Amino acid sequence: MDSILSRRTTAEWLELLHANRLPAGPVNDIAEALEDPHLDAVGFFQFLDHPVAGPIRRPRCGVGFDGDQLDLAPAPRLGEHTEEVLREAGVDEATITALSADSEVR
């Protein structure tokens, strides 16, 4: 396949396939996807300020309701919710404090 497909550019293949009424589209690499005007027009990417990484652009959630896109928060940092989870699990404050102090030493 590679030796055949490499004989033409992507644009040439798409033109030939579309002229023969065959559904086809390019397979973009990440850089091309980031610059794709269609993805930009449909709001495919979400821009957010990550607390550690700073400003980032990532794909939006693929699910929407009534035309509204869901904007997701950045993934939590390692250990960000540990104390909250321990409290919900019934661990007492003294133990949580001891565990937190122990983890800061490491």
Side-chain angles (χ1 to χ4, degrees), residues 86 91-100:
L86 290 173
V91 178
D92 62 90
E93 288 299 320
T95 303
I96 291 173
T97 301
L99 290 170
S100 295

Side-chain angles (χ1 to χ4, degrees), residues 39-64:
L39 295 179
D40 187 45
V42 298
F44 181 81
F45 292 105
Q46 173 185 5
F47 296 86
L48 57 92
D49 190 25
H50 190 277
V52 175
I56 61 171
R57 175 170 59 166
R58 68 177 191 185
R60 286 187 185 278
C61 176
V63 178

